[in-house]
Amino acid sequence: MKKNDEFIMDITDVTAEGNGVGRYDGIAVFVPNTAVGDKVKVHIVKVKKNFCFGKAVEIIELSKDRVEEDCPVFTKCGGCVYRHISYDCELKLKQKRVEETMRRIGGINILASPILSGDDKRYRNKAQYPIDDGGEVGFFAVHSHRIIPVKDCLLQPKEFSVVADALREYMQRFSISTYNEESGKGIVRHLYIRKATATNEIMVALVINATKLNNTDYLINCLKEILGKNFKTFVLNINTEKTNVILGKENIVLYGDGYITDILRDNKIRINPLSFYQVNRNMAEILYKKAEEYLEPDNKNILDLYCGAGTIGLSFAKKAKSIIGVEIIPEAIEDAKFNAKLNGIENARFICADASNAAKILRDEGITVDGVVLDPPRKGCEAELLSVIAYDFAPEKIVYVSCDVATLARDVKILEEKGYKVAEYTPVDLFPRTSHVETVALLIKGESYAKQR
Ligand code: SAH
């Protein structure tokens, strides 16, 4: 097969990234934005040793899973990969992908419990829009820093697009420049909005390449008018570095208190521009509830590793005997301590450290734990940490929350070799229409567990 070849092919599978897959001459051909059951005319755009990438130039037969695409920038913006198939079909694909990965990488032969899901539209509570030269907000194109203007993203709350309109009008009225990534010149870098979806409170922040901005009173008054009482705070976030990290470290609060407050599983959670908080609050509640159901923390000593702002542990702290949360980012630990106090929780302690180091320190302090929750970033846990958990703490239960099922599968295999058994696991769709899915797994100390290294 060579570049620019064209042929007709059936799409028979889909990858984790959402690309359709077919076979031609025994070679796998990946075709974005197609669905299992499509018959397509493919134009080959890239040839690798054992596979090719193609583009569907014509869809000859439509899959029964297809639905009408409802976003004008679908396939251009880097966000959604599944707007062309029904949400039901997407959930089935995610369920299957989680099960296959757990079996292939983890050697886990039990099937997943049915995937948990909620709204597939407007579920996000945070947006970071880059701004183009015309003051138009948007999102970056796939694998690029080219800005695709987006009027109204269907994953974001409706109000966010109204805030974007107000920003554009303000920038034009006062001739405020846009930051240019190449030259490092210009002022406004990103529009950053967060919404506490349980209380409807909204924070608007502008990330600027300067230490002050003119005429912000005008913008703040517009926002008060269009958002009403839900508009709680306006912040300038200062980022004068030549970097593609979005937020700088310094915030200047120009209206309100610099934070909004959400409610998550009955706890009040304070969110500032830099706080880590799950982007889908409603499904985070369901995920944490499942984690609690698996862990059964009542009257137990629980270790919450990779705790962020402490939201998992705090959600069942009142039932548990004690909670120890560990997290590497100091600001997140400050938030966790604040949130504990805000909710009258006195049995939680938070440590700012690398999870593996903290686990060793706690072990050397002689701390005993009955259950461990792990919620690491995509790369998963270090093998050393899994050893300390399995051999030194040896809790009855380990609950592992993961945003990458491949590293989850790798890590549960290691824990199984150390005497734990995966009893159950559940995919939870925190990110509908994108390729991402969360999984929560329960591991129980097996009958054959023997403390050994
Ligand atoms: N449990 C939290 C956060 C999960 S995200 C929640 O549900 O909101 C993963 C967290 O792990 C992030 O907050 C990240 O800062 C933290 N982290 C990353 N590497 C770490 C490490 N080596 N040790 C401890 N925490 C780490």
Side-chain angles (χ1 to χ4, degrees):
M1 208 175 304
K2 51 188 192 319
K3 201 172 161 180
N4 296 329
D5 275 1
E6 283 193 357
F7 48 83
I8 290 169
M9 182 183 81
D10 290 322
I11 300 297
T12 52
D13 206 350
V14 67
T15 66
E17 294 79 34
N19 288 330
V21 193
R23 291 200 156 263
Y24 193 80
D25 266 355
I27 293 201
V29 184
F30 298 101
V31 192
N33 314 312
T34 53
V36 175
D38 280 348
K39 189 189 270 299
V40 291
K41 184 168 178 189
V42 181
H43 181 100
I44 295 298
V45 290
K46 201 190 244 172
V47 180
K48 295 275 188 189
K49 198 161 164 228
N50 298 317
F51 57 91
C52 298
F53 285 99
K55 206 174 134 186
V57 284
E58 190 187 337
I59 304 199
I60 292 160
E61 256 172 55
L62 286 177
S63 157
K64 63 172 179 18
D65 299 326
R66 279 200 175 253
V67 292
E68 203 164 318
E69 290 166 20
D70 49 4
C71 172
V73 296
F74 174 54
T75 75
K76 295 184 191 77
C77 127
C80 298
V81 298
Y82 288 126
R83 299 215 78 85
H84 61 310
I85 59 171
S86 67
Y87 186 42
D88 226 29
C89 174
E90 175 188 336
L91 290 172
K92 288 196 183 102
L93 289 175
K94 287 182 170 173
Q95 174 98 20
K96 189 167 139 228
R97 167 151 59 96
V98 167
E99 285 170 351
E100 276 178 6
T101 311
M102 288 292 268
R103 185 170 57 236
R104 184 169 46 83
I105 300 177
I108 307 301
N109 288 315
I110 55 172
L111 292 179
S113 302
I115 187 165
L116 301 174
S117 63
D119 290 335
D120 66 331
K121 283 207 179 85
R122 305 205 184 275
Y123 60 82
R124 286 186 57 98
N125 57 24
K126 178 172 94 172
Q128 330 183 92
Y129 301 96
I131 299 161
D132 75 8
D133 291 340
E136 196 78 53
V137 308
F139 292 112
F140 289 131
V142 191
H143 305 308
S144 136
H145 270 204
R146 191 164 48 85
I147 295 167
I148 304 283
V150 177
K151 233 358 309 95
D152 178 31
C153 170
L154 291 170
L155 304 189
Q156 304 291 2
K158 198 114 193 114
E159 306 94 301
F160 287 15
S161 61
V162 184
V163 174
D165 286 341
L167 174 68
R168 187 169 38 246
E169 200 266 321
Y170 156 76
M171 287 178 69
Q172 276 162 5
R173 179 178 286 252
F174 297 104
S175 304
I176 299 202
S177 62
T178 305
Y179 177 72
N180 181 297
E181 278 191 333
E182 270 147 46
S183 68
K185 298 222 160 62
I187 306 232
V188 180
R189 298 174 73 125
H190 272 83
L191 167 62
Y192 179 98
I193 319 174
R194 298 187 95 160
K195 178 176 177 184
T197 48
T199 59
N200 289 322
E201 295 185 6
I202 293 179
M203 163 196 302
V204 178
L206 280 187
V207 185
I208 58 168
N209 175 39
T211 50
K212 62 180 186 7
L213 191 62
N214 294 334
N215 302 102
T216 44
D217 281 354
Y218 176 87
L219 178 60
I220 291 169
N221 283 331
C222 285
L223 293 173
K224 278 186 195 161
E225 217 163 274
I226 56 181
L227 297 174
K229 65 175 182 7
N230 293 334
F231 176 45
K232 285 287 173 214
T233 191
F234 182 89
V235 179
L236 289 180
N237 176 271
I238 310 301
N239 186 355
T240 52
E241 305 280 314
K242 227 179 160 184
T243 164
N244 55 15
V245 175
I246 294 176
L247 293 175
K249 290 209 159 63
E250 190 192 343
N251 290 314
I252 301 174
V253 180
L254 295 184
Y255 171 67
D257 299 321
Y259 61 82
I260 50 174
T261 305
D262 207 3
I263 294 173
L264 188 67
R265 298 206 70 208
D266 295 334
N267 280 331
K268 288 189 192 128
I269 305 291
R270 186 181 73 167
I271 303 163
N272 64 49
L274 296 164
S275 301
F276 180 90
Y277 190 58
Q278 293 283 359
V279 296
N280 183 342
R281 176 214 163 265
N282 294 359
M283 288 310 295
E285 266 198 337
I286 288 172
L287 173 70
Y288 293 176
K289 198 159 159 242
K290 187 47 105 182
E292 177 181 338
E293 203 180 297
Y294 279 170
L295 193 64
E296 298 182 298
D298 295 35
N299 302 316
K300 303 240 173 85
N301 297 308
I302 303 296
L303 183 56
D304 178 7
L305 295 174
Y306 307 92
C307 71
T311 42
I312 297 185
L314 291 176
S315 75
F316 45 69
K318 286 188 175 142
K319 300 174 186 163
K321 194 167 178 188
S322 74
I323 306 280
I324 301 177
V326 174
E327 159 65 44
I328 203 158
I329 297 188
E331 291 81 4
I333 284 291
E334 287 312 309
D335 284 347
K337 287 179 182 165
F338 184 91
N339 288 330
K341 212 178 250 161
L342 187 63
N343 294 287
I345 291 165
E346 287 172 353
N347 59 344
R349 162 183 170 199
F350 292 97
I351 302 170
C352 184
D354 163 69
S356 302
N357 290 341
K360 283 186 273 180
I361 293 167
L362 291 167
R363 171 196 66 192
D364 297 343
E365 275 180 21
I367 299 279
T368 56
V369 297
D370 308 302
V372 173
V373 184
L374 294 165
D375 185 7
R378 299 189 72 75
K379 67 176 188 217
C381 297
E382 282 174 25
E384 194 191 6
L385 171 62
L386 298 175
S387 275
V388 176
I389 293 171
Y391 294 138
D392 296 325
F393 291 117
E396 270 321 300
K397 289 180 161 190
I398 301 171
V399 172
Y400 195 133
V401 178
S402 164
C403 53
D404 184 347
V405 64
T407 54
L408 168 70
R410 178 199 68 198
D411 290 351
V412 296
K413 185 168 185 208
I414 296 173
L415 288 167
E416 288 216 330
E417 285 158 8
K418 297 181 192 308
Y420 282 80
K421 275 243 111 358
V422 172
E424 275 179 65
Y425 64 101
T426 308
V428 186
D429 197 14
L430 266 73
F431 312 104
R433 302 340 232 145
T434 77
S435 61
H436 302 283
V437 63
E438 294 267 328
T439 307
V440 51
L442 166 64
L443 291 109
I444 296 184
K445 193 151 76 172
E447 276 163 23
S448 61
Y449 174 87
K451 191 167 172 163
Q452 53 173 336
R453 267 171 204 270

